[in-house]
Amino acid sequence: MAATPPSTGGCPVHAAMTTSPTGCPVSARAAEFDPFSDAYQQDPPEYVRWAREQEPIFYSPKLGYWVVTRYDAIKAIFRDNITFSPSIALEKITPTGPEANAVLEQYGYAMNRTLVNEDEPAHMPRRRLLMEPFTPEHIRHHEPLVRKLTREYVNRFIDDGRADLVDQMLWEVPLTVALHFLGVPEEDMDTLRRYSIAHTVNTWGRPKPEEQVAVAHAVGNFWRYAGKVLEKMRQDPDQPGWMQYGIRMQRLHPDIVTDSYLHSMMMAGIVAAHETTANAAANAIKLLLQHPDAWRDICEDPTLIPNAVEECLRHNGSIAAWRRLVTRDTKIEGVDVPAGAKLLIVTSSANHDDRHFADADFFDIRRENASDHLTFGYGSHQCMGKNLARMEIQVILEELTRRLPHMRLAEQRFTYVPNTSFRGPEHLWVEWDPAQNPERRNPGILQAQAPVRIGEPSRHAIARTVVVESVTRIADGIVKLRLVSPDGRALPRWTPGSHIDVECGAPDRSRQYSLCGDPADEHALEIAVLHEPTGRGGSAWIHGQVRAGDKLRIRGPRNHFRMDETAGKLIFIAGGIGITPIAAMARRALELGLDYELHYSGRKRSSMALLAELAALHGDRLHVYVSEEGRRNDLAALLGRPRVGWQVYACGPKHMLEAVQAHCAAWPADALRVEHFESDLPQLDPAKEHAFEVELKDSGITITVPADKTVLASLRAANIDVSSDCEEGLCGTCEVRVLAGEVDHRDMVLTKAEREANNRMMTCCSRARGSKLVLEL
Ligand code: FES
């Protein structure tokens, strides 16, 4: 961790060495900030840790930019592309001298605004017109090429025992894919490859005066050659390729897709699709090999790869920072920033912000919100090629983990092309023992391949393997499973009310079970499972198949049934197996010394799990109702009078929850929280639904949700990332914020008050009551 700068007296932050354009003193660290220093190049988020923690926005006199470092502020900047214009995103960070400018002029270099740096109102109409080839449906068609190329390149070095993955594969595969995606003819690929690197140095780098002229020649050549290739494409615009698609769109909308626009897009497209992906793949492999546990996990379980890619993009993505121009006086993090100010928004720092990512520096390939990273930007300027990049990195990792699981990093010092934004090692040396190559013993593995997930990974990709340490019968028809990690590593921490998803024999058959053990025990998770012969098959599988020593795949823990530890009094109501989350909550209430009552109902004592343990722990606070003994919980007496400041938590059979809900109708909003494990969500019936529009405020597009599709499916088809898990309204993963329009809530997650607030919805099941919704996406 970086040391805290010494205080200079007065303001603890500012050292008054110099002042910002607003006259505010600049702190010593801000004055020293230099994104071309080795420290920034090696680890940008670590380099600005001090700022993230103490001075989240500061003025850098060396750069002439304001530097923004925290997640929320950067996301807000991406969201408002009027106040924060992207127009300087590609402006040269080091202005070129007259000699280099003359060279560029000589080539007729006239790089125009493109999708990445264009203001409204021009930007969105173009983006909408050119977006279709980037949707998951279209991206899918490129997977066979990516796989074929990756295999060919690995074939070239697999028997060598040593390779520089950047030079020998990672630079070339994404470039070839990018050129194919754009529709560049094979014969022009080599030339364009040679020129593209100069473009990065020209735009984001700090070439020395003597280098500038050479760089300008390369950029000029790149420009000129791109123009020639474009002309060639115009001769045959029906060929596949994004440029040809653009040429066809130009015919329909010549005012929107102009000539100069296409020429600029051609160049920018190559750089955007190629270098960022090559760098991202190199960063990902380096990071995974630096964390051998994670590398081993994805070798053993390739379904972890999609989320591992997201975590790599978050932890060490290929875009370290973006730039914006402030168009009107505004405030960022409470600091006045004047119109005309230039912003360096350090997205890599946002991705390490503990305010958004728990234990953000920790590399966790199962991190649930890894894909919230800002490496692709956000909103209307979010990288259109994100799903192409994700797919390429997944395929590359899948091929390498299958064919070279014994690969390790060689001794080396990593170097980076000096620039503020694009980041990836120039070389990545790895080594292995070719005699151990699995395909020498088992050539069959060459045919294997795991399905690639196009788009943001679903929660299904984040399963972890645990070992069943014991299976204990704790009541009639109820077994308790104690689950531990296979290698003795600690399991994720959890809070009372949390559940895990257990894959019951198949990835698409997962069931949710509340954790009922001790949250302080970091080495085990405990669940209790009731055998329900008429259920959907999950409990029957657990009772019939699972034995001590077996491996299970689980996801979570996740908590949508959180206990309010500040409540004046807590009423816990459990029926049957619903005691599992309630038991953990009551234990916590006891530990905290809170005022609480525990009401537990069941048919007969022998079928009530944990009874003796609860009696021993909770004494008089436990009220037991056994129906065969003629004792029932009198809900009218218990809940008849609404109490301010009390919280009621209930879990149990549907009829019991409905009764509790009815008795709490007059209680203050949100006083009752219930936990459901079964959805009664009916299948989507198009005959009973209506189509509606969804405006995505941050992305600047409007989509139609047809009667036979969910909002979630429609968002994904439009290339918008939303996570999901259960997809039946139970888990809360697919929640988004609603800005306008009335929601027809169908989930089991939101409370009555939360539904009435109408500012959140579950996209996997809920719909619009009227003709339109506006979402913060
Ligand atoms: Fe679980 Fe929507 S994905 S509630």
Side-chain angles (χ1 to χ4, degrees):
M1 184 187 279
T4 306
S7 169
T8 52
C11 171
V13 169
H14 301 113
M17 288 178 69
T18 180
T19 57
S20 75
T22 49
C24 195
V26 169
S27 71
R29 296 203 87 146
E32 278 165 18
F33 174 78
D34 178 2
F36 295 97
S37 64
D38 188 53
Y40 180 93
Q41 298 299 321
Q42 291 290 338
D43 192 347
E46 181 60 35
Y47 183 71
V48 294
R49 177 190 296 279
W50 65 274
R52 207 160 54 246
E53 289 173 357
Q54 301 161 24
E55 200 181 349
I57 172 166
F58 64 90
Y59 180 73
S60 159
K62 275 191 190 165
L63 198 62
Y65 276 65
W66 295 79
V67 182
V68 190
T69 56
R70 282 187 187 165
Y71 187 93
D72 284 349
I74 291 180
K75 193 158 179 180
I77 288 168
F78 278 130
R79 199 170 261 149
D80 180 356
N81 62 0
I82 306 296
T83 309
F84 305 104
S85 157
S87 57
I88 59 165
L90 300 182
E91 187 180 279
K92 287 174 203 153
I93 208 131
T94 308
T96 38
E99 210 184 331
N101 284 337
V103 170
L104 287 170
E105 209 170 301
Q106 169 194 325
Y107 286 92
Y109 179 72
M111 187 72 180
N112 238 309
R113 299 276 179 89
T114 58
L115 289 174
V116 79
N117 58 350
E118 193 167 54
D119 281 317
E120 305 305 345
H123 163 254
M124 276 318 291
R126 287 183 179 145
R127 184 172 165 107
R128 278 186 215 112
L129 272 186
L130 298 171
M131 189 139 71
E132 195 175 310
F134 290 98
T135 54
E137 195 189 326
H138 287 80
I139 293 295
R140 218 172 289 287
H141 300 305
H142 298 275
E143 187 193 335
L145 172 73
V146 177
R147 198 168 287 281
K148 177 173 165 284
L149 285 168
T150 307
R151 287 185 175 179
E152 283 171 9
Y153 276 84
V154 175
N155 286 345
R156 293 180 195 174
F157 57 69
I158 186 129
D159 291 320
D160 297 350
R162 188 174 160 82
D164 174 0
L165 292 182
V166 172
D167 272 5
Q168 293 176 251
M169 180 170 79
L170 298 178
W171 194 254
E172 304 213 354
V173 171
L175 176 58
T176 311
V177 175
L179 295 172
H180 273 281
F181 180 80
L182 291 170
V184 171
E186 294 276 346
E187 65 270 17
D188 297 311
M189 289 189 178
D190 277 351
T191 314
L192 285 177
R193 176 193 187 282
R194 281 207 308 281
Y195 294 143
S196 74
I197 190 164
H199 188 269
T200 305
V201 178
N202 183 49
T203 308
W204 287 276
R206 186 183 268 177
K208 297 190 186 82
E210 62 276 19
E211 289 166 348
Q212 282 191 7
V213 171
V215 168
H217 276 292
V219 171
N221 275 315
F222 190 11
W223 174 258
R224 201 178 263 180
Y225 200 83
K228 280 192 200 146
V229 175
L230 188 58
E231 271 320 300
K232 208 188 276 185
M233 290 168 163
R234 284 188 196 284
Q235 311 306 317
D236 196 1
D238 291 327
Q239 289 296 315
W242 187 50
M243 293 310 299
Q244 287 86 342
Y245 182 85
I247 292 167
R248 297 199 292 279
M249 285 295 125
Q250 187 183 32
R251 284 191 191 150
L252 299 173
H253 306 277
D255 50 326
I256 298 181
V257 185
T258 60
D259 274 351
S260 75
Y261 191 75
L262 280 178
H263 194 165
S264 301
M265 275 313 296
M266 171 90 174
M267 257 177 90
I270 292 172
V271 177
H274 166 221
E275 291 182 24
T276 50
T277 310
N279 284 332
N283 289 333
I285 296 166
K286 170 173 170 271
L287 196 54
L288 286 160
L289 291 176
Q290 284 169 333
H291 294 83
D293 285 346
W295 177 258
R296 196 193 56 215
D297 285 352
I298 63 168
C299 289
E300 286 173 2
D301 181 0
T303 64
L304 293 171
I305 290 177
N307 204 63
V309 169
E310 296 303 315
E311 177 67 349
C312 290
L313 288 166
R314 180 194 76 82
H315 200 277
N316 191 9
S318 55
I319 307 283
W322 275 116
R323 288 178 278 158
R324 289 291 185 264
L325 178 68
V326 177
T327 60
R328 61 177 176 86
D329 292 354
T330 188
K331 271 188 193 297
I332 302 173
E333 302 273 16
V335 173
D336 289 320
V337 181
K342 293 176 174 181
L343 304 181
L344 184 74
I345 48 178
V346 189
T347 43
S348 53
S349 169
N351 290 342
H352 281 253
D353 188 343
D354 283 317
R355 291 158 200 80
H356 190 85
F357 298 102
D359 199 3
D361 293 333
F362 182 59
F363 178 63
D364 178 7
I365 60 171
R366 294 179 180 86
R367 184 182 290 277
E368 295 241 342
N369 64 347
S371 53
D372 283 358
H373 63 75
L374 297 177
T375 301
F376 291 129
Y378 176 78
S380 62
H381 281 269
Q382 193 181 41
C383 169
M384 292 212 297
K386 63 187 178 187
N387 287 332
L388 182 61
R390 283 169 164 154
M391 182 262 280
E392 288 183 60
I393 304 169
Q394 282 180 47
V395 172
I396 291 170
L397 285 180
E398 204 232 306
E399 291 291 323
L400 288 174
T401 49
R402 189 156 33 80
R403 300 182 67 184
L404 289 170
H406 48 316
M407 184 170 88
R408 58 190 177 272
L409 279 179
E411 270 299 306
Q412 64 203 297
R413 173 169 170 76
F414 295 103
T415 57
Y416 297 84
V417 174
N419 75 100
T420 55
S421 298
F422 287 178
R423 210 173 157 276
E426 289 181 289
H427 301 282
L428 179 62
W429 282 101
V430 291
E431 54 196 17
W432 64 95
D433 176 3
Q436 302 300 320
N437 289 357
E439 61 206 57
R440 293 197 182 183
R441 292 187 306 278
N442 176 14
I445 67 157
L446 288 173
Q447 313 314 322
Q449 68 181 65
V452 161
R453 217 193 128 75
I454 312 277
E456 190 183 20
S458 83
R459 297 301 192 232
H460 292 293
I462 326 177
R464 88 176 56 237
T465 301
V466 289
V467 173
V468 180
E469 189 184 79
S470 59
V471 181
T472 317
R473 185 181 169 282
I474 55 168
D476 291 352
I478 300 178
V479 288
K480 183 161 86 175
L481 270 55
R482 186 175 161 83
L483 310 171
V484 297
S485 128
D487 49 12
R489 273 187 273 169
L491 288 164
R493 311 202 71 136
W494 59 282
T495 46
S498 298
H499 67 266
I500 56 171
D501 295 75
V502 178
E503 287 183 5
C504 295
D508 58 353
R509 188 166 55 168
S510 76
R511 299 290 181 264
Q512 300 176 321
Y513 296 104
S514 289
L515 293 170
C516 59
D518 180 359
D521 181 358
E522 59 176 23
H523 288 286
L525 299 172
E526 291 183 354
I527 56 172
V529 180
L530 169 68
H531 186 199
E532 292 174 281
T534 56
R536 293 176 296 160
S539 67
W541 183 83
I542 289 181
H543 277 257
Q545 307 292 326
V546 177
R547 301 284 176 267
D550 286 354
K551 285 188 173 166
L552 286 185
R553 283 164 56 82
I554 64 165
R555 296 190 305 280
R558 197 174 314 134
N559 197 346
H560 293 297
F561 193 42
R562 259 174 221 288
M563 189 174 101
D564 178 358
E565 297 181 353
T566 64
K569 180 158 182 172
L570 298 159
I571 306 291
F572 299 116
I573 304 174
I577 195 64
I579 191 62
T580 49
I582 296 292
M585 288 174 150
R587 177 202 286 261
R588 175 74 178 157
L590 176 69
E591 280 166 8
L592 293 177
L594 303 177
D595 188 6
Y596 70 97
E597 291 172 20
L598 171 53
H599 298 265
Y600 183 15
S601 311
R603 265 189 304 113
K604 49 184 180 175
R605 283 185 188 268
S606 63
S607 66
M608 295 172 72
L610 311 174
L611 207 48
E613 182 183 323
L614 292 170
L617 266 179
H618 302 290
D620 290 351
R621 291 183 185 271
L622 172 68
H623 306 266
V624 178
Y625 311 94
V626 184
S627 48
E628 91 172 358
E629 295 171 9
R631 208 167 163 234
R632 289 181 187 276
N633 188 355
D634 182 353
L635 292 175
L638 182 63
L639 306 170
R641 195 153 60 92
R643 311 290 191 119
V644 175
W646 288 25
Q647 282 285 327
V648 181
Y649 294 87
C651 186
K654 197 162 161 236
H655 64 87
M656 186 201 92
L657 294 181
E658 283 169 357
V660 172
Q661 266 159 334
H663 282 98
C664 284
W667 280 60
D670 276 347
L672 169 67
R673 299 210 70 114
V674 295
E675 174 82 322
H676 292 270
F677 284 104
E678 257 175 66
S679 168
D680 41 19
L681 194 68
Q683 286 278 330
L684 192 64
D685 180 356
K688 293 189 186 148
E689 306 293 352
H690 66 277
F692 53 94
E693 284 196 335
V694 174
E695 182 186 332
L696 309 175
K697 194 82 182 147
D698 297 344
S699 308
I701 57 171
T702 298
I703 60 169
T704 299
V705 178
D708 63 347
K709 254 189 174 178
T710 62
V711 175
L712 181 68
S714 309
L715 289 169
R716 289 203 172 135
N719 231 13
I720 304 295
D721 297 340
V722 179
S723 304
S724 70
D725 190 344
C726 71
E727 300 194 4
E728 52 181 337
L730 283 170
C731 73
T733 310
C734 64
E735 177 181 317
V736 299
R737 288 188 64 77
V738 178
L739 300 173
E742 206 186 334
V743 181
D744 177 1
H745 291 285
R746 301 180 184 185
D747 63 276
M748 316 287 279
V749 179
L750 298 180
T751 62
K752 190 163 146 252
E754 286 168 342
R755 286 178 171 212
E756 281 164 5
N758 200 59
N759 55 12
R760 305 150 70 182
M761 74 180 283
M762 301 304 145
T763 53
C764 70
C765 56
S766 299
R767 302 181 70 82
R769 275 201 196 290
S771 59
K772 187 169 178 180
L773 291 173
V774 183
L775 303 182
E776 192 180 84
L777 275 176

